[in-house]
């Protein structure tokens, strides 16, 4: 177990550093430190999502008995992925820090000017996402590895597959960061993210309850009364932020698809100048991609 944990501790930060160095040193790219950090963080998140989804599919498809069947990959991947959530807290902060250095942001009166101040601002701005990662490490990890006692690998595999929505989320963040909201790629990716997030994260727990009800031959509405209260509490706590983030995605999608026609209107020189002034004075977007204050259509999440 410790070997797998150590492997994850090396793999995710190592992939981040390797990607960042390649983006900075490849002659055809020569990206800046900030650009390389932001894109590398999204790349690592996407790689982890593909690995988790693949592991989840293998686990779920191999379990005929959804409660008793076990697969060695379940605990192994949990151990391997735990360091990712620790690393990702750091990576999100670095993205936040470099966004403060973007031209125009450094002169914003509310922008933090020192690393310590930026850290406090980051923790306040990204409290829900940081809390989510901390809970994954301190609560979900021991529950999944020890409390389950080898039962329910099928359900764990299905939960791994929730990561299917992450690659489109990461691409959306990159497109927003580099102001590509007007492109067809952004619109297609936004629609894909809306669909995958709803299926993989919002419908996740209702499906798990449905699957258990079918397995135990009990009505769907009776499942919460038939499972341990810890399961209901855990499902509620994990689903609540997903519903909140999905509501933000829906708001971003509404701005994206209803605002496209407005964005095609010719603007006067005075309005264009006002837009530039607004952009120059804006704080960077949250590193998790959710923003209720952004004037641009925004669909990114973690």
């Amino acid at each position: 177990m410790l070997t797998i944990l150590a492997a994850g501790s090396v793999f995710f930060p190592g992939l981040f550093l390797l990607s960042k160095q390649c983006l900075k040193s490849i002659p055809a790219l020569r990206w800046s430190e900030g650009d390389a950090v932001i894109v590398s963080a999204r790349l690592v998140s996407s790689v982890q999502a593909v690995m988790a989804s693949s592991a989840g599919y293998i686990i779920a498809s191999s379990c005929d008995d959804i409660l008793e069947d076990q697969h060695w990959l379940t605990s192994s991947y949990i151990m391997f992925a735990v360091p990712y959530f620790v690393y990702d807290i750091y990576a999100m902060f670095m993205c936040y820090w470099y966004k403060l250095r973007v031209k125009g942001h450094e002169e914003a009166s509310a922008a933090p000017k020192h690393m310590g101040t930026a850290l406090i601002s980051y923790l306040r701005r990204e409290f829900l996402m940081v809390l989510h990662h901390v809970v994954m490490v301190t609560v979900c990890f021991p529950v999944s590895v020890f409390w389950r006692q080898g039962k329910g690998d099928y359900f764990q595999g299905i939960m791994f597959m929730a990561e299917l929505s992450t690659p489109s989320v990461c691409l959306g963040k990159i497109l927003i960061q580099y102001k590509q909201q007007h492109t067809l790629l952004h619109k297609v990716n936004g629609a894909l993210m809306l669909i995958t997030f709803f299926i993989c994260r919002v419908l996740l727990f209702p499906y798990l309850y449905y699957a258990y009800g079918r397995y135990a031959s009990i009505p769907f509405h009776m499942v919460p009364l038939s499972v341990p209260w810890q399961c209901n509490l855990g499902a509620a706590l994990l689903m609540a932020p997903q519903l909140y983030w999905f509501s933000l995605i829906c708001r971003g999608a509404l701005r994206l698809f209803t605002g496209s026609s407005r964005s095609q209107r010719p603007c006067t020189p005075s309005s264009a100048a006002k837009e530039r002034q607004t952009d120059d004075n804006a704080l960077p977007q949250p590193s998790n991609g959710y923003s209720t204050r952004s004037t641009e259509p925004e669909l990114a999440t973690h």
Side-chain angles (χ1 to χ4, degrees):
M1 290 180 63
L2 292 179
T3 302
I4 299 174
L5 191 65
S9 300
V10 172
F11 178 78
F12 294 111
L15 180 61
F16 171 77
L17 294 175
L18 177 63
S19 174
K20 184 181 73 169
Q21 189 60 36
C22 289
L23 291 174
K24 290 171 58 181
S25 59
I26 293 177
L29 298 177
R30 298 286 185 181
W31 285 10
S32 67
E33 177 80 11
D35 288 340
V37 164
I38 292 171
V39 174
S40 296
R42 310 311 182 207
L43 174 64
V44 175
S45 294
S46 297
V47 169
Q48 194 281 140
V50 172
M51 294 174 66
S53 301
S54 301
Y57 175 78
I58 293 171
I59 294 166
S61 61
S62 68
C63 294
D64 295 325
D65 188 312
I66 65 174
L67 195 61
E68 299 295 339
D69 283 358
Q70 298 182 10
H71 196 286
W72 65 268
L73 192 55
T74 307
S75 295
S76 296
Y77 190 77
I78 292 172
M79 294 292 297
F80 181 75
V82 162
Y84 165 78
F85 292 98
V86 179
Y87 142 82
D88 198 47
I89 293 175
Y90 165 79
M92 288 192 301
F93 170 69
M94 294 307 297
C95 292
Y96 181 81
W97 172 252
Y98 279 107
K99 284 176 184 178
L100 296 177
R101 312 275 73 77
V102 175
K103 183 178 180 181
H105 289 156
E106 67 270 18
E107 295 181 2
S109 59
K113 298 178 176 60
H114 303 288
M115 185 70 77
T117 307
L119 178 60
I120 296 174
S121 176
Y122 159 73
L123 292 175
R124 289 175 178 172
R125 193 178 182 89
E126 306 294 345
F127 174 77
L128 184 58
M129 184 61 68
V130 173
L131 178 63
H132 170 271
H133 281 35
V134 171
V135 169
M136 293 296 291
V137 174
T138 61
V139 179
C140 294
F141 164 62
V143 166
S144 298
V145 174
F146 304 111
W147 184 76
R148 290 190 310 116
Q149 297 180 343
K151 294 184 181 294
D153 279 17
Y154 172 83
F155 298 103
Q156 192 68 58
I158 295 296
M159 293 183 71
F160 284 164
M161 294 175 66
E163 292 292 333
L164 277 170
S165 63
T166 299
S168 59
V169 166
C170 292
L171 178 58
K173 289 180 180 181
I174 294 174
L175 293 174
I176 290 173
Q177 178 67 24
Y178 296 102
K179 301 188 182 303
Q180 298 300 308
Q181 295 94 323
H182 62 283
T183 62
L184 177 62
L185 175 61
H186 180 68
K187 292 179 173 61
V188 172
N189 182 72
L192 179 63
M193 181 174 60
L194 185 68
I195 295 170
T196 56
F197 198 96
F198 178 73
I199 294 175
C200 298
R201 293 181 181 263
V202 176
L203 294 183
L204 172 65
F205 291 101
Y207 171 76
L208 295 180
Y209 278 66
Y210 164 78
Y212 180 79
R214 187 176 60 178
Y215 170 82
S217 300
I218 57 177
F220 175 77
H221 67 276
M222 294 297 295
V223 174
L225 302 177
S226 305
V227 299
W229 65 269
Q230 297 93 331
C231 295
N232 293 322
L233 177 62
L237 292 177
L238 288 175
M239 190 173 181
Q242 309 302 330
L243 292 175
Y244 169 70
W245 288 326
F246 182 68
S247 70
L248 296 185
I249 292 176
C250 291
R251 292 174 63 176
L254 185 63
R255 290 196 300 270
L256 175 63
F257 293 107
T258 61
S260 57
S261 59
R262 292 197 300 269
S263 64
Q264 294 174 357
R265 298 178 189 169
C267 58
T268 63
S270 59
S271 63
K274 185 176 181 180
E275 279 190 20
R276 285 195 298 271
Q277 182 179 3
T278 301
D279 290 341
D280 288 342
N281 291 331
L283 283 173
Q285 299 167 7
S287 58
N288 67 3
Y290 297 115
S291 175
T292 58
R293 295 175 294 182
S294 174
T295 58
E296 294 289 346
E298 187 172 337
L299 293 176
T301 72
H302 176 79

